[in-house]
Every structure is written in C-alpha cells, then in structure tokens.
Amino acid sequence: MTQPRRDLNQCTNFPNQAAIAWEAGAPLSYEDIEVAPPRAGEVRIQVHHTGVCHTDAYTLSGKDPEGAFPVVLGHEGAGIVESVGEGVTSVNVGDYVVALYTPECRECKFCKSGKTNLCGKIRATQGKGVMPDGTSRFRARGKDLLHFMGTSTFSQYTVVADISVVAVTPKIPTDRSCLLGCGITTGYGAAVVTAKVEEGSNVAVFGVGCVGLSVLQGAVKNKAGKIIAVDVNDGKEAWARKFGATHFVNPTKLSGKTIQEHLIEMTDGGCDYTFDCTGNVGVMRAALEACHKGWGESIVIGVAAAGQEIATRPFQLVTGRVWKGCAFGGIKGRTQLPGLVDDYLNGELKVDEFITHRQPLSAINSAFDQMKEGDCVRCVVDMK
Ligand code: NAD
Ligand code: AHE
Ligand code: ZN
C-alpha cells in the first residue's frame, strides 16, 4: 500500500502536477501547479485516485452558472492526508480519506436540522471557488486558480476544509473509495436515504449510468418490487439487470404512447418512486408523471444546464405526486460514508463493478472522451 509522502514540508508551496481548466470548452491542461500549505481548519491531501463525473464535464462545458475559470475541477477523489492546518482534529497526517463536496460541519442550521445533508457553513465560498477565508491555495503560470466544489481532485495535491473530508479505513483501496465521493453514494443514497424505498414498492430509474445503476442497487437493498430501468441506450439493459433491474424499457422504442403512460400500465397506476438520473428536464417531467396518484414520489438527481427549467401540470402535484431532489443522495459524508465503506468491505455494496475505464492523470482528457461514450460507467484516474 502506498505510504504518505513525508518529505514534504508543511510550510512550503510545493510543485506537483494537475489537470487545469483554463477556460470553458477547452481540454484540460496537464501541467505544474503550486499547492500552498493548509491554513487553519484546512487539510492538504495527496490525491491517489479520482473519478470523472458528468458534473465535471458540465462545468467544463460552460453550462454551469457557478462555473468560473481558471479552475482545478474534480470532486470524486480519495487519497492520504499529507498535512493539516492549525486546529484540525478530525483527521491526522497519514489518514486515508475521501473528499466531500457536500461538507458536514455538524454546527450549522442545516446540519442540526436532521432534515438534510446540505451543510451551509462554507457553501458561499465553495460556490465562488475559494477556500473559506476567500483565498486560493492553487497557483500556476503565476496566476491564482479557483477551487471546485470544495474538493478540486484533479490535482496530485489539493487543499480542502476539514469539514470537507472523511477518514476511511485503508482496507478499501483508493481507486474504489474515490467513487464513494460522488456517483455511487449519490444513487444509493437517493434510494435508501432520500426516497426510503419500501419493500415491495415499484421503482423506475430513468438513466442507468453510474448514478442510476447505484439507485438500482439501493432499490434492491430495500427490497423493492418491480425495479424498472429506463434508458435510451439498449446497451444499458445488461448493466441494469446486473444491478438488479427486473425490467428494462427503451423509451424511444415505444410506439403510440409515452414512457409515463407505459410505466403507469406496467405498475397498475404508476410507480411508487421514480428517479431522474439524466439531467434532462423532459425526462424529469416524465419521471414525475409516471408516479402513482396520491403518493408517488419523483427524485431529481440529474444536473441540468443553466436556463433549463422543469414543468408539469400543477394538477400532477394537486393529486398527490411529490417532486423532490437531492445532492450526494442525502448522505451526510462524515457520519455515513464510513458505513458505506463497511458495506463495500462486507460485500453488500457494489463498487468495483462500476469501474469500466482507467487513465493516468496525464491522459485525463481521454477520460472525459470515454465518459461520453455509451459503454463507460466510470473512468478512474490514477493520480500518481
Ligand atoms: P451517465 O451519462 O453515466 O448516465 C446517464 C444515462 O442516462 C445514460 O445511460 C444515458 O444513456 C441515459 N439517458 C440519456 N438520455 C436519456 C433519456 N432521454 N431517457 C432515458 N435515459 C437517458 O451519467 P451519470 O454519471 O450517471 O450522472 C447522471 C446525472 O446525475 C448527471 O446529470 C450528473 O451531473 C448528475 N449527478 C448529480 C448528482 C447529485 O448529487 N445530484 C451527483 C452525481 C451526478
Ligand atoms: N453549480 C450548479 C449545480 C450543480 C449541482 O447541483 N451539484 C450537485 C452535485 S452534482 C455532483 O456530481 C450539488 O451538490 N448540489 C447542491 C449544491 O449545494 O451545489 C448550478 O446549477 O448552479
Ligand atoms: Zn459528481
């Protein structure tokens, strides 16, 4: 197992490599970066592996209203704590960690509400691409770079707030634990924590990429009845069945009826739970309208581009359907991620199965290309 690098002086800015997004719509640039030491309440991580998520591509595309450049993207990373700033007690140098784009301070109104995993403590600065004190720890070509989602895992070293990191057992390799930093946890949590799918309930999952497949495994865990995967790519049927789908529907192959009408027929009146894992607002509408009158709940997970809006007849809600959404599946990272790691180690949570592609950091643009191909579930980038 890789040991933490001890030769780095906590007081120095030191050079390493990163994939930098200098502007929207351009490929990432693999080059030197200086990463400053962690300040009070911060943690510097040697990133060992990172996944590439569609949200990284979404922000890189320029469609994210919060997207700003130049920036170090990446939010699905795991590695080792290299150094900690003053006052940090929650993790130690040498700990194996997963970065958390949804932090957990346990002190703010959100954290204390018991109603949400969204933490308010650093959301404003995180959204502006800076550390909680308003400054950046990244420099390249003589310029400050922005942080992304409080994590910036496309750098061999990154600095995050101490509330944006969770220590996990080193028994889980970092090329697996990184995927718990977004896609797998998001889908599984959406089914188990946010929707709380009940035994015997009928579930439809729209879009069975990484997130949707993990919704399927959450639905299986909670013993759902019919588990219907909906995807425009027929190649996803085998994947969906492997993750527990009982049915597969390609909506482009239905003649004379909509996908919502088809699902309502299949489930004697509509699904108990539906999930949008596409980011397409038309699909979000279909997912809501495929819900059972009186109680069906539709969970929006997909991220839609700036300017996109959802619509349906208000009558759909008047008649008892519920439209909701979640980030990171509703999972509180510092409290609940170690439990998901245990589930993985006990063979109760699929993680390995999601890895279809691998790339070194120097070829991260290939990971972005592969992600857009229909046969990629997750590409894991080796940062070393
Ligand atoms: P993915 O591209 O791997 O999977 C999307 C799937 O949707 C693909 O299989 C695709 O064929 C299918 N699809 C596309 N159009 C469709 C349509 N009209 N009907 C049915 N299926 C369709 O993406 P992913 O990594 O699984 O992420 C899914 C979405 O979730 C993205 O928008 C991503 O940004 C978002 N996301 C949100 C969160 C969150 O916390 N809310 C976390 C991670 C990802
Ligand atoms: N910046 C975008 C929003 C993007 C978004 O919704 N991100 C999700 C995580 S996606 C992970 O792959 C999220 O955490 N949302 C809650 C939050 O506080 O950002 C926009 O549209 O402005
Ligand atoms: Zn993501």
Side-chain angles (χ1 to χ4, degrees), residues 18-330:
I20 300 171
W22 286 99
E23 58 181 314
L28 301 183
S29 172
Y30 175 66
E31 59 185 274
D32 292 344
I33 186 173
E34 280 191 8
V35 183
R39 296 187 184 173
E42 298 175 1
V43 177
R44 189 158 60 181
I45 302 171
Q46 182 187 20
V47 182
H48 285 188
H49 290 95
T50 182
V52 179
C53 173
H54 280 80
T55 308
D56 297 308
Y58 158 76
T59 301
L60 182 60
S61 75
K63 291 179 187 158
D64 179 353
E66 285 190 313
F69 299 83
V71 63
V72 180
L73 296 170
H75 63 281
E76 204 175 58
I80 295 183
V81 174
E82 173 269 328
S83 56
V84 297
E86 191 188 324
V88 173
T89 55
S90 52
V91 292
N92 296 302
V93 171
D95 280 354
Y96 280 72
V97 291
V98 176
L100 300 171
Y101 66 81
T102 305
E104 185 187 350
C105 75
R106 299 177 175 158
E107 291 167 354
C108 74
K109 183 178 180 183
F110 291 89
C111 283
K112 291 204 286 202
S113 71
K115 297 179 179 181
T116 179
N117 67 330
L118 299 175
C119 169
K121 187 156 184 191
I122 62 169
R123 182 62 183 84
T125 48
Q126 180 170 318
K128 292 191 177 85
V130 289
M131 295 299 291
D133 71 354
T135 63
S136 169
R137 302 291 162 269
F138 296 125
R139 266 181 96 70
R141 302 187 198 173
K143 293 186 185 128
D144 281 349
L145 309 176
L146 292 167
H147 293 246
F148 177 63
M149 291 176 76
T151 52
S152 290
T153 59
F154 293 169
S155 175
Q156 289 176 327
Y157 288 83
T158 190
V159 179
V160 304
D162 59 356
I163 60 172
S164 303
V165 66
V166 58
V168 297
T169 170
K171 287 182 196 157
I172 178 169
T174 52
D175 65 341
R176 321 297 150 97
S177 60
C178 69
L179 298 184
L180 294 176
C182 186
I184 295 176
T185 303
T186 293
Y188 184 76
V192 172
V193 173
T194 299
K196 299 185 178 66
V197 166
E198 295 120 1
E199 186 168 353
S201 54
N202 293 324
V203 170
V205 181
F206 289 72
V208 282
C210 177
V211 173
L213 290 172
S214 206
V215 173
L216 294 175
Q217 69 169 334
V220 169
K221 157 89 177 172
N222 280 13
K223 303 187 172 67
K226 283 189 179 136
I227 304 177
I228 307 165
V230 180
D231 204 295
V232 292
N233 176 355
D234 281 332
K236 289 295 170 73
E237 176 166 2
W239 278 97
R241 293 198 184 272
K242 179 173 169 184
F243 279 75
T246 57
H247 301 72
F248 178 86
V249 181
N250 182 333
T252 66
K253 300 213 165 142
L254 299 173
S255 53
K257 59 183 166 183
T258 63
I259 181 66
Q260 45 270 56
E261 287 166 347
H262 186 70
L263 292 172
I264 288 167
E265 275 173 31
M266 283 177 77
T267 55
D268 187 26
C271 302
D272 299 300
Y273 298 98
T274 67
F275 298 84
D276 165 70
C277 310
T278 70
N280 175 321
V281 294
V283 172
M284 292 175 194
R285 178 178 194 150
L288 184 273
E289 295 177 357
C291 284
H292 202 288
K293 181 177 176 177
W295 62 75
E297 292 190 15
S298 188
I299 319 297
V300 174
I301 306 173
V303 171
Q308 296 282 301
E309 294 183 345
I310 48 174
T312 191
R313 286 188 66 213
F315 184 66
Q316 293 284 337
L317 306 184
V318 166
T319 48
R321 295 167 194 82
V322 176
W323 222 344
K324 61 203 278 195
C326 59
F328 202 39

